[in-house]
Amino acid sequence: MGLLDLICPRPAGLVKLINSTAPLTPMSLNQKVQQCLLDYLKAVDLDLLRDELTLHATYAQNEGLYQVFLNSDDLRVRENAWWFFITSADNDQIKSRMDMLLETLDRGADLWPEVMNLVDKGVLNKRDILPFFKHQNHKVRIGPWRYVKSGRITQADLKPFLGYFIELLKSNDLEVRAKAWSQISRLDELRIMKKEESGKYKSYLEEVFKDDRFLNDLEGTYLDLLDGITRKDFLPFLWNGDPRVRIATWWIISDSPNLLELVERKVNVILDTISYPDPKFRVIAWNVIKDLGKVGLVDSKNLDLKPLLELLRDPDVNVRLSAWAVATALAETKDLKPYLDGLREVVSREDLKETLSFSLELKQILRSGKLPKEDVIQIIKLIPFQLVNGLSKLWVEDVEKLLVEGDENIWIQLEGIRKDRRQRSRIRSKLKGIREITRRFMTHEDLRLRALAWSYLHRFLSRKEVTSLLEHLISLLTAGDDKIEELAWSAIIKLNPFIDRSLWQGYSKRTLSKLESLWSIALTLLKLKVLSPSDFLEVKEKVIEVAKSKLVTSDDVEMLVKENIISMDDLWRIVMETQYHEVVIAVGMAYPSVFAGKVNESVDILLRHWDKENVDLMDITLFIMLRVMYGEPS
């Protein structure tokens, strides 16, 4: 769940109860907040902080909040606390803690982007920072070299330290070495080290290419080294004696036509690697072969595919999926059939469901058309998000059978295809058939299927056709089944601009009698002014009770208050009695004044929903907690 999900959460039906992890021993108010901050600083990733400024960072300047952690023994806590402090404190506050910051950097804190900015602003003296360019610990030393830029630290300052950077190019720590090599072009631009000097140390780069962990990081570096005078030193990597180096470098250039032209006569050196024992490198080699086949440098039809097919059951899921993506491009269906159990095992794993929903490899596998139709259908059942990629293999009758099984996610995906012009063009040949089954479903005797069709597929039909079938939708509003009625109301709300309100308006009060299941529908009807505030006030006690589990967006909180349906006192009662963190957050974001004058009680309420395993939840909870204690952020 992301930060936006918490401010504007998912439907109330998906709300989860969070078990309280609040400290059990008696603590003062400040101690409670400090403990929450400590939990957060231990859990959050520094790169996440840099990518998305957290809400409660606005309170970092408050004396005593983050400062207490600036000399923590836990480096992660200390590093994160300093990030908050640097991004909010004034120059004098930072200067007054200079020694502590330098000690933190010495211990290995990765604060160099922020530190270099402070140097350029004159907050930090470059004399204090220059020694880090020759720090004895390579993991520390690489930091300033990665983030130094043209400014107060000059070419003349760094020239005496160049030998220390060269040591990093040869570091025994391959991660450090990879990071150092990725700076070659930048240091050339800064005129600190000429790019051509790197050729002297090329054997050390070879060693990095033997580790598949650094391939993505070094892709741009290697392409830079093949541009200009350094090409003569690094082009021979493509026919290096070690197959791993050949595989890695061919993979990098495989989509660069200009570079492939230079080495097309050397293509046999990559063909020699397709049986390499290490599965991770072997599958990369086969990916290269697939790409070379596209540009006519390799005739894959004459290759022995056995070394590739062996990977279709590899224990490493990433290797296996990648191998299937290549094999479905290169092999015939009959060659793949004996190995289908390997793919079936992967797609049926519950723990991979989310990953597979967005898997480019699975997308390629499905679009290849090489899988048996039964497997395509099973994959779509298990991973509905891949529907659009499997449709080319299916007949309209197959789509209808999938829909009859009633998994709402498949209906949702089909609606998404209708909305997306690019995806819709992929199934153009099937649109006529989908329109026909849509008509059948919209008058179906199975009321749930009819409701699903109205809610998700009505866009496949013209407005005129939809209007002619409306009686079949209206009849669903009294179906007596909460889910069917919710889907029917959802369809009516989507169609509202185009259909006569008099046909359905008389059923609207029925939603108030089913608030537990039709809460979001009732609130939408209030927004549309179909229902009035007085309608809600007639069942106010029920509104308050249901709100304790369903009031999960700040927009809904604001609407109910502005319409005078619930008061500040009602909101306080709701947050006091709810078991759902989404409700507390929605109220806290919409009306922090609810907590005014009740600091201790409010913090205790928020602590009931504290979850040390959920960084996003901790972030927004801290924001509300600090706003309760210190007022609106400055």
Side-chain angles (χ1 to χ4, degrees):
M1 180 182 289
L3 189 59
L4 289 177
D5 293 312
L6 290 166
I7 299 172
C8 303
R10 293 169 284 184
L14 298 178
V15 172
K16 293 180 180 178
L17 176 62
I18 297 294
N19 292 326
S20 171
T21 56
L24 298 177
T25 54
M27 301 171 78
S28 72
L29 185 62
N30 284 334
Q31 285 176 316
K32 291 175 182 177
V33 177
Q34 292 288 1
Q35 182 61 50
C36 289
L37 280 168
L38 179 59
D39 292 342
Y40 179 81
L41 293 171
K42 281 183 177 179
V44 73
D45 184 83
L46 184 57
D47 287 334
L48 178 67
L49 294 178
R50 287 183 176 132
D51 289 342
E52 183 177 330
L53 183 67
T54 72
L55 288 171
H56 61 90
T58 50
Y59 289 97
Q61 61 193 357
N62 287 58
E63 195 70 31
L65 276 181
Y66 294 87
Q67 287 87 324
V68 72
F69 300 113
L70 294 180
N71 61 352
S72 171
D73 291 334
D74 185 321
L75 182 59
R76 185 185 182 99
V77 171
R78 186 169 182 156
E79 181 178 67
N80 287 331
W82 268 103
W83 181 87
F84 277 106
F85 186 63
I86 289 172
T87 54
S88 64
D90 61 40
N91 294 347
D92 289 337
Q93 286 177 308
I94 295 172
K95 285 179 179 179
S96 69
R97 293 169 173 81
M98 176 78 69
D99 291 343
M100 198 188 301
L101 174 56
L102 294 175
E103 182 196 343
T104 301
L105 295 171
D106 184 64
R107 290 186 56 186
D110 183 20
L111 294 165
W112 289 103
E114 293 77 21
V115 166
M116 288 304 179
N117 285 333
L118 293 175
V119 172
D120 282 346
K121 292 175 183 176
V123 179
L124 298 182
N125 193 312
K126 68 180 180 181
R127 288 195 304 272
D128 294 316
I129 298 303
L130 284 171
F132 285 95
F133 285 87
K134 59 175 184 178
H135 198 282
Q136 61 181 0
N137 184 329
H138 284 191
K139 285 185 180 295
V140 176
R141 189 193 303 178
I142 188 61
W145 283 105
R146 288 179 72 197
Y147 294 103
V148 67
K149 51 189 176 182
S150 181
R152 289 180 182 262
I153 296 179
T154 65
Q155 176 191 3
D157 291 325
L158 289 179
K159 274 292 184 183
F161 294 91
L162 184 55
Y164 294 100
F165 175 75
I166 290 169
E167 285 182 9
L168 297 179
L169 294 177
K170 303 184 286 184
S171 176
N172 290 329
D173 185 324
L174 286 185
E175 184 177 359
V176 169
R177 196 190 300 186
K179 288 176 180 177
W181 276 96
S182 69
Q183 304 307 307
I184 291 292
S185 292
R186 205 170 60 82
L187 294 188
D188 180 60
E189 291 170 6
L190 294 172
R191 299 186 178 183
I192 295 168
M193 174 183 174
K194 289 183 178 180
K195 190 166 77 166
E196 50 263 40
E197 292 290 310
S198 62
K200 300 175 185 177
Y201 315 105
K202 59 187 179 183
S203 62
Y204 295 97
L205 179 58
E206 286 180 25
E207 291 301 313
V208 185
F209 278 130
K210 295 174 185 177
D211 191 322
D212 68 289
R213 291 176 300 159
F214 307 115
L215 270 185
N216 288 319
D217 295 335
L218 288 174
E219 182 176 0
T221 298
Y222 187 61
L223 290 174
D224 283 343
L225 292 171
L226 293 184
D227 182 25
I229 195 170
T230 49
R231 178 182 290 175
K232 61 178 174 53
D233 294 312
F234 295 95
L235 194 65
F237 279 26
L238 293 159
W239 49 90
N240 187 276
D242 192 303
R244 291 169 296 179
V245 178
R246 299 204 300 275
I247 291 169
T249 50
W250 275 87
W251 176 77
I252 289 173
I253 72 160
S254 61
D255 58 356
S256 301
N258 294 337
L259 292 172
L260 288 175
E261 282 182 18
L262 297 174
V263 292
E264 57 182 316
R265 293 182 182 178
K266 298 275 190 180
V267 74
N268 284 336
V269 300
I270 189 65
L271 289 171
D272 290 343
T273 67
I274 59 176
S275 297
Y276 190 71
D278 184 334
K280 289 182 180 178
F281 275 96
R282 192 195 309 178
V283 79
I284 296 169
W286 277 100
N287 268 287
V288 173
I289 297 301
K290 180 184 72 172
D291 290 342
L292 296 181
K294 290 177 183 176
V295 295
L297 291 183
V298 168
D299 181 7
S300 56
K301 291 181 181 178
N302 293 322
L303 290 177
D304 177 10
L305 298 180
K306 185 180 178 182
L308 170 62
L309 298 176
E310 289 172 354
L311 299 177
L312 300 182
R313 292 195 183 104
D314 194 84
D316 186 314
V317 168
N318 293 320
V319 169
R320 193 185 307 187
L321 272 178
S322 185
W324 270 98
V326 177
T328 47
L330 300 181
E332 298 297 327
T333 302
K334 62 181 176 59
D335 299 320
L336 299 172
K337 278 188 176 180
Y339 302 92
L340 280 168
D341 59 315
L343 181 61
R344 290 166 184 158
E345 180 190 344
V346 172
V347 298
S348 63
R349 280 178 51 176
E350 192 65 30
D351 61 320
L352 295 176
K353 199 164 189 175
E354 184 175 354
T355 301
L356 292 173
S357 293
F358 303 98
S359 167
L360 292 176
E361 288 83 6
L362 188 54
K363 173 182 174 179
Q364 293 167 12
I365 293 165
L366 288 168
R367 287 191 177 185
S368 72
K370 299 282 182 71
L371 296 184
K373 187 169 70 173
E374 296 72 21
D375 283 282
V376 173
I377 290 172
Q378 186 61 22
I379 288 172
I380 292 171
K381 286 180 181 178
L382 293 168
I383 310 159
F385 201 82
Q386 293 284 359
L387 172 67
V388 67
N389 299 312
L391 273 177
S392 61
K393 188 75 175 181
L394 306 184
W395 296 98
V396 171
E397 291 80 358
D398 300 318
V399 177
E400 185 170 9
K401 287 177 184 175
L402 278 170
L403 294 172
V404 165
E405 293 192 13
D407 185 336
E408 189 172 353
N409 289 310
I410 293 176
W411 292 81
I412 291 169
Q413 290 306 314
L414 198 53
E415 178 189 38
I417 293 170
R418 174 61 186 84
K419 289 179 180 178
D420 188 315
R421 181 180 298 177
R422 184 172 51 83
Q423 289 191 351
R424 195 164 68 245
S425 67
R426 289 188 54 79
I427 63 162
R428 193 179 303 279
S429 62
K430 293 183 169 59
L431 284 176
K432 182 179 178 181
I434 291 175
R435 289 190 190 101
E436 289 175 1
I437 62 175
T438 296
R439 290 187 197 97
R440 291 201 293 273
F441 277 123
M442 288 172 75
T443 59
H444 206 285
E445 61 183 16
D446 183 318
L447 299 188
R448 186 169 185 272
L449 293 176
R450 189 195 304 178
L452 285 164
W454 275 100
S455 185
Y456 298 116
L457 302 189
H458 65 263
R459 288 184 178 86
F460 281 100
L461 302 186
S462 68
R463 196 176 300 176
K464 183 178 179 181
E465 286 180 290
V466 169
T467 303
S468 70
L469 299 172
L470 275 176
E471 62 180 281
H472 298 282
L473 170 61
I474 303 301
S475 63
L476 296 174
L477 298 179
T478 54
D481 180 288
D482 291 351
K483 182 60 181 177
I484 290 172
E485 291 184 21
E486 181 187 14
L487 288 166
W489 277 111
S490 172
I492 282 173
I493 288 166
K494 292 173 184 176
L495 291 165
N496 173 52
F498 317 117
I499 61 177
D500 184 353
R501 276 195 182 189
S502 65
L503 295 173
W504 54 269
Q505 195 163 3
Y507 299 94
S508 58
K509 280 197 174 183
R510 182 180 173 86
T511 62
L512 294 174
S513 66
K514 296 189 169 191
L515 268 181
E516 293 88 347
S517 57
L518 298 178
W519 172 266
S520 62
I521 298 295
L523 292 188
T524 302
L525 295 177
L526 177 64
K527 290 176 192 173
L528 295 173
K529 301 191 184 305
V530 175
L531 290 175
S532 68
S534 60
D535 293 328
F536 277 78
L537 287 170
E538 288 176 11
V539 290
K540 178 174 178 177
E541 191 56 33
K542 187 170 186 178
V543 170
I544 292 173
E545 282 304 311
V546 176
K548 293 174 189 176
S549 60
K550 304 291 186 181
L551 188 57
V552 294
T553 76
S554 51
D555 284 347
D556 288 345
V557 176
E558 290 174 6
M559 180 176 65
L560 290 173
V561 171
K562 287 175 182 175
E563 296 288 358
N564 294 314
I565 295 169
I566 56 177
S567 65
M568 293 296 133
D569 288 341
D570 295 327
L571 288 179
W572 177 248
R573 175 183 162 192
I574 288 167
V575 297
M576 282 278 287
E577 299 177 9
T578 185
Q579 294 179 305
Y580 296 86
H581 68 263
E582 290 93 337
V583 175
V584 176
I585 287 167
V587 173
M589 293 301 290
Y591 290 105
S593 56
V594 168
F595 300 105
K598 309 181 186 80
V599 175
N600 280 289
E601 301 98 310
S602 299
V603 170
D604 285 341
I605 288 170
L606 291 162
L607 284 173
R608 287 208 309 263
H609 306 282
W610 189 251
D611 180 6
K612 288 192 273 190
E613 303 302 317
N614 187 332
V615 171
D616 285 325
L617 177 56
M618 284 194 285
D619 180 49
I620 198 166
T621 305
L622 269 172
F623 176 67
I624 297 171
M625 194 180 293
L626 296 175
R627 188 155 67 168
V628 167
M629 293 184 67
Y630 299 105
E632 292 299 315
S634 55

